[in-house]
């Protein structure tokens, strides 16, 4: 049998992130709060250290082997596990903890704190791509739904046809998610002004409140309820069959275990470590229809394939990983949707809102907006991780001068900031379906470390052209009378507006003197992520149209790493739907069309 798994540490972060980046993180990143669900609803969730490898015999011994082992309890993994457990035994392995009692996950008002937290127990794992863009990947049961801005909107019908999904089953799977965790937003004044401004500059018609992907301006759903509480994909596990599902948290899968004795490698189980660092093995039942399913996301799934010996042979040999399958496309053509923002100052306090409204343009860009900053003492005075002076990330001061006194002075200045500086909001411009493509490669064989990732933002000239069009449109939105009436700030010149964003060191990319005069330069210099990266396990190259890994048996990938484009304006709705959809499809294939799901 051949075994496999891992990644590499991000480069040292030497960046002073000023106030505007802090505000940007607060608006664009995830969550905070108190538990709104007790764990008694999920009796099948337990710590990985309680697992006994001796009870999960290999394919022949089978005392406690599983029909399905799902690696990754995230946006796709949770609905997939809940669905498959209706008829088959499922082991769901999640490297993070539970979100239910996590104060950094549950409430909208402090939702930025998880991204700012770089500790090993954080629900988000920080990484920086080689492009110099700061980024995060989820590390918690519920995945990205625990650390995102909550916006819920479906993919276009064109996307569904392009990926060759069964439209009837898709239209059954979306509502399954929606009735459990999706809400209609409490429409904020900022969002109303944004909606009116979009229509004012021609992003029409107004399509009202809808989950559908339609050209024009619309209000979408949210996974935050009217009390500001977040509802995540982990809650979809409440519909599981508790007799057939086991969920292990703090279970970090290191390798997929293969039987390589036949004509084709066959996945038979996984190796994982628990929260104490002790190793375990879990195995599939001796059944040709049993499967290991990777749902670890656009970074985790290609990373695990590589660590397990599925990838370019030359690259694997450099790290002494035994090659199970020489597969040149694993980790290739990974894409991130670039985003640029324009800060909109206000002359008074503004109600906090995350994404509620979107402008879907025919320019190939989407416009969204968020407002307000969590103005609680926790938000203003907390330890802000990567954006905090308390850990010495003062790159404007040479390392030898980062004395305890300098750090204390910076921290005091932050505490003394008046609330007025936290007023305002952002217009977000996201590029739809970028042509620029990147790559993911292993740096080492430690699964806890991040791989080497480059997205090559704006390497394709068409992407840069569309970004310029989007920034021009976004500045018109900011200058609309509806925004000036709300913000009580005079209409500002485009250069003035852009200059505010340029001064915020939102990434590790050097700035240029002409970046407010050249919109092309502005796009390059101020690019950030909206966490919608995808690809690396593309259909037709790494997996087939059933999401089965090409060249091996009993191994599948079900997550956004299989996408060639990010679905809709924001992908979480479709990734959750995909988990339900693929689970229902697998059940129907095994049990017949009459399978009850």
């Amino acid at each position: 049998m051949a075994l496999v798994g891992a990644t590499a540490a991000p480069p040292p972060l030497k960046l002073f992130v000023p106030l505007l980046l802090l505000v940007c993180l607060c608006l664009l990143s995830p969550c905070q709060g108190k538990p709104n669900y007790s764990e008694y609803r999920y009796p099948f969730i337990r710590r990985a250290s309680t697992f006994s490898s001796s009870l999960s015999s290999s394919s022949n011994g089978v005392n406690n082997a599983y029909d399905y082992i799902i690696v990754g309890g995230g946006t796709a993994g949770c609905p997939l596990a809940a669905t498959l457990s209706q008829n088959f035994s499922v082991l769901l392995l999640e490297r993070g903890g539970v979100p239910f009692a996590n104060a950094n996950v549950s409430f909208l008002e402090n939702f930025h704190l998880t991204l700012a937290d770089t500790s090993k127990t954080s629900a988000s794992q920080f990484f920086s791509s080689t492009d110099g863009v700061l980024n995060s990947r989820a590390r918690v049961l519920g995945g990205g739904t625990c650390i995102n801005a909550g916006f819920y909107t479906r993919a276009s019908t064109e996307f569904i046809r392009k990926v060759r999904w069964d439209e009837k089953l898709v239209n059954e799977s979306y509502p399954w998610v929606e009735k459990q965790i999706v809400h209609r937003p409490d429409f904020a004044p900022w969002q109303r002004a944004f909606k009116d401004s979009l229509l004012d500059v021609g992003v029409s018609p107004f399509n009202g409140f809808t989950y559908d992907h339609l050209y024009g301006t619309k209000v979408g759903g949210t996974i935050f309820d009217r009390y500001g509480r977040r509802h995540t994909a982990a809650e979809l596990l409440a519909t599981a069959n508790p007799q057939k599902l086991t969920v292990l948290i703090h279970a970090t899968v290191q390798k997929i275990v293969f039987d390589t004795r036949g004509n084709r490698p066959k996945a038979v189980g996984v190796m994982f470590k628990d929260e104490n660092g002790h190793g375990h093995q879990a195995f599939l039942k001796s059944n040709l229809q049993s499967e290991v399913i990777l749902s670890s996301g656009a970074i985790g799934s290609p990373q695990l394939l590589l660590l397990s010996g599925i990838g370019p042979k030359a690259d694997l040999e450099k790290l002494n990983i035994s090659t199970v399958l020489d597969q040149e496309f694993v980790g290739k053509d990974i894409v991130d949707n670039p985003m640029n923002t324009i800060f909109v100052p206000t002359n008074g306090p503004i109600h906090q809102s995350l994404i509620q409204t979107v402008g879907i343009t025919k320019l190939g860009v989407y416009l969204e907006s968020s407002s307000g900053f969590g103005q609680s003492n926790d938000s203003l005075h907390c330890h802000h991780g990567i954006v905090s002076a308390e850990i010495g990330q003062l790159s404007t001061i040479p390392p030898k001068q980062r004395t305890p006194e300098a750090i204390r002075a910076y921290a005091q200045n932050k505490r003394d900031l008046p609330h007025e500086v936290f007023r305002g909001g952002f217009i977000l411009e996201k590029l739809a379906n970028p042509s620029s493509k990147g790559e993911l490669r292993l740096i080492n064989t430690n699964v806890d470390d991040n791989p080497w990732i480059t997205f090559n933002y704006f390497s394709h000239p068409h992407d840069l052209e569309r970004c310029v069009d989007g920034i021009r449109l976004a500045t018109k939105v900011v200058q609309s009378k509806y925004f000036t009436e709300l913000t009580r700030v005079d209409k500002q010149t485009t250069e003035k507006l852009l200059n505010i964003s340029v001064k915020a060191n939102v990434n590790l990319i050097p700035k240029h003197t002409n970046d407010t005069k050249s919109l092309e330069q502005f796009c390059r210099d101020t690019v950030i992520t909206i966490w919608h990266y995808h690809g690396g396990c593309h259909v037709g190259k790494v997996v087939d149209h059933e999401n089965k890994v090409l060249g091996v048996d009993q191994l599948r990938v079900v997550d956004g790493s299989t996408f060639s484009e990010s679905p809709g304006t924001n992908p979480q709705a479709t990734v959750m739907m995909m988990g339900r959809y693929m689970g229902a499809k697998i059940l129907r294939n095994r049990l017949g069309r009459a399978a009850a799901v």
Side-chain angles (χ1 to χ4, degrees):
M1 291 187 183
L3 318 178
V4 213
T7 11
L13 181 62
K14 295 181 179 178
L15 174 69
F16 168 62
V17 186
L19 176 62
L20 282 178
L21 174 57
L22 175 58
V23 177
C24 193
L25 280 174
C26 299
L27 293 171
L28 301 182
S29 58
C31 24
Q32 177 88 348
K34 302 173 184 175
N36 56 334
Y37 277 82
S38 300
E39 291 181 37
Y40 76 85
R41 297 192 65 194
Y42 312 94
F44 40 75
I45 299 176
R46 52 194 176 91
R47 287 180 171 267
S49 57
T50 65
F51 182 82
S52 174
S53 295
S54 63
L55 295 178
S56 182
S57 302
S58 72
S59 319
N60 300 320
V62 193
N63 188 359
N64 189 27
Y66 301 90
D67 292 298
Y68 295 97
I69 298 174
I70 300 173
V71 182
T75 310
C78 286
L80 176 64
T83 302
L84 290 175
S85 73
Q86 299 306 314
N87 296 88
F88 296 99
S89 61
V90 177
L91 175 65
L92 177 63
L93 301 170
E94 168 52 46
R95 67 186 182 131
V98 294
F100 311 118
N102 187 334
N104 281 352
V105 168
S106 297
F107 282 109
L108 180 152
E109 64 183 9
N110 286 326
F111 104 125
H112 61 291
L113 297 181
T114 291
L115 287 191
D117 180 5
T118 58
S119 69
K120 290 184 178 180
T121 59
S122 172
S124 67
Q125 180 178 3
F126 168 78
F127 73 95
S128 174
S129 68
T130 63
D131 314 273
V133 173
L134 313 179
N135 218 316
S136 296
R137 50 191 292 213
R139 182 170 49 194
V140 61
L141 190 68
T145 64
C146 297
I147 65 168
N148 65 18
F151 193 58
Y152 183 96
T153 178
R154 297 181 178 186
S156 66
T157 53
E158 180 186 4
F159 176 90
I160 301 302
R161 290 174 188 144
K162 191 183 295 184
V163 297
R164 291 163 53 176
W165 285 345
D166 179 332
E167 292 183 49
K168 183 176 183 295
L169 185 54
V170 165
N171 290 328
E172 293 170 358
S173 300
Y174 272 124
W176 181 86
V177 174
E178 290 154 7
K179 69 182 179 183
Q180 296 185 71
I181 64 169
V182 185
H183 304 266
R184 186 166 182 158
D186 185 10
F187 208 43
W190 181 276
Q191 298 293 327
R192 187 168 289 107
F194 179 56
K195 179 260 292 182
D196 291 338
S197 298
L198 285 170
L199 296 172
D200 190 39
V201 301
V203 185
S204 57
F206 179 54
N207 295 305
F209 171 76
T210 179
Y211 296 144
D212 293 337
H213 186 90
L214 304 169
Y215 284 114
T217 295
K218 74 167 204 171
V219 177
T222 178
I223 57 174
F224 288 101
D225 64 23
R226 62 194 179 101
Y227 302 107
R229 293 179 305 211
R230 179 188 292 269
H231 298 266
T232 76
E235 293 176 29
L236 300 175
L237 293 171
T239 63
N241 180 346
Q243 305 305 314
K244 291 185 175 293
L245 176 62
T246 300
V247 178
L248 297 183
I249 55 173
H250 305 297
T252 303
V253 174
Q254 298 166 295
K255 301 176 182 180
I256 304 162
V257 180
F258 290 99
D259 182 347
T260 56
R261 293 172 296 184
N263 292 331
R264 285 162 57 99
K266 176 175 69 173
V268 295
V270 298
M271 297 177 66
F272 66 94
K273 62 181 180 179
D274 62 28
E275 69 273 17
N276 301 316
H278 298 144
H280 304 270
Q281 295 186 58
F283 290 96
L284 295 173
K285 288 182 177 178
S286 183
N287 185 317
L288 292 177
Q289 291 180 298
S290 296
E291 292 179 329
V292 173
I293 304 177
L294 298 185
S295 293
S296 300
I299 294 174
S301 288
Q303 179 188 16
L304 270 172
L305 287 179
L306 293 168
L307 289 169
S308 303
I310 297 179
K313 185 175 182 179
D315 291 348
L316 299 177
E317 287 178 342
K318 290 175 186 175
L319 294 172
N320 295 318
I321 297 173
S322 298
T323 303
V324 172
L325 180 69
D326 186 4
Q327 221 306 359
E328 64 176 312
F329 297 113
V330 176
K332 299 298 191 294
D333 292 339
I334 191 168
V335 175
D336 191 20
N337 296 77
M339 182 172 74
N340 297 82
T341 68
I342 297 177
F343 179 66
V344 186
T346 63
N347 272 337
I350 198 73
H351 179 77
Q352 186 179 20
S353 70
L354 296 179
I355 313 302
Q356 297 179 349
T357 308
V358 62
I360 301 175
T361 76
K362 294 186 177 180
L363 300 172
V365 297
Y366 305 133
L367 297 184
E368 299 175 353
S369 189
S370 54
S371 66
F373 176 81
Q375 296 178 15
S376 67
N377 284 335
D378 284 346
S379 293
L380 292 173
H381 302 150
C382 72
H383 185 296
H384 281 100
I386 64 170
V387 299
S388 177
E390 291 89 333
I391 60 170
Q393 302 292 354
L394 297 171
S395 67
T396 54
I397 300 176
K400 290 182 180 179
Q401 295 178 32
R402 294 174 198 171
T403 63
E405 292 77 18
I407 292 171
R408 279 196 296 273
Y410 176 82
Q412 184 61 46
N413 287 339
K414 187 179 72 172
R415 281 193 292 272
D416 292 342
L417 286 169
H419 280 210
E420 286 74 19
V421 301
F422 293 101
R423 294 170 179 169
F426 286 86
I427 306 299
L428 320 175
E429 177 267 337
K430 168 194 167 180
L431 202 66
N433 196 17
S435 300
S436 304
K437 302 184 187 307
E439 182 182 359
L440 176 152
R441 297 202 306 262
L442 296 180
I443 297 177
N444 62 27
T445 55
N446 183 354
V447 71
D448 295 318
D449 293 340
N450 290 304
W452 179 96
I453 305 167
T454 186
F455 292 115
N456 292 323
Y457 298 104
F458 302 123
S459 58
H460 195 288
H462 183 49
D463 292 346
L464 201 56
E465 291 169 10
R466 287 187 292 156
C467 178
V468 169
D469 290 340
I471 293 298
R472 285 184 177 135
L473 185 61
T475 55
K476 289 179 182 176
V477 169
V478 178
Q479 293 165 337
S480 164
K481 64 178 181 179
Y482 298 102
F483 257 121
T484 55
E485 288 172 1
L486 176 71
T487 62
R488 290 181 283 165
V489 173
D490 292 338
K491 183 175 177 179
Q492 300 184 68
T493 66
T494 297
E495 189 169 341
K496 233 182 198 180
L497 286 169
L498 299 184
N499 196 47
I500 300 173
S501 296
V502 169
K503 285 183 178 179
N505 292 322
V506 293
N507 55 41
L508 300 172
I509 300 171
K511 304 300 181 283
H512 296 79
T513 54
N514 68 332
D515 46 19
T516 58
K517 296 183 174 63
S518 163
L519 291 183
E520 288 85 358
Q521 196 64 56
F522 176 84
C523 286
R524 289 192 186 98
D525 287 359
T526 64
V527 62
I528 58 177
T529 186
I530 194 169
W531 305 286
H532 295 170
Y533 44 83
H534 52 280
C537 295
H538 286 285
V539 173
K541 293 185 175 180
V542 177
V543 300
D544 64 16
H545 282 280
E546 298 294 319
N547 286 58
K548 296 180 179 180
V549 176
L550 296 165
V552 299
D553 293 328
Q554 297 182 229
L555 181 61
R556 210 183 285 245
V557 181
V558 177
D559 58 33
S561 68
T562 64
F563 293 159
S564 58
E565 63 182 89
S566 183
T569 62
N570 301 67
Q572 74 164 343
T574 303
V575 178
M576 283 190 282
M577 181 279 294
M578 179 192 197
R580 172 64 176 179
Y581 172 93
M582 290 303 302
K585 193 168 185 183
I586 290 169
L587 290 184
R588 289 182 181 185
N589 287 341
R590 286 193 71 166
L591 303 173
R593 300 298 295 180
V597 292

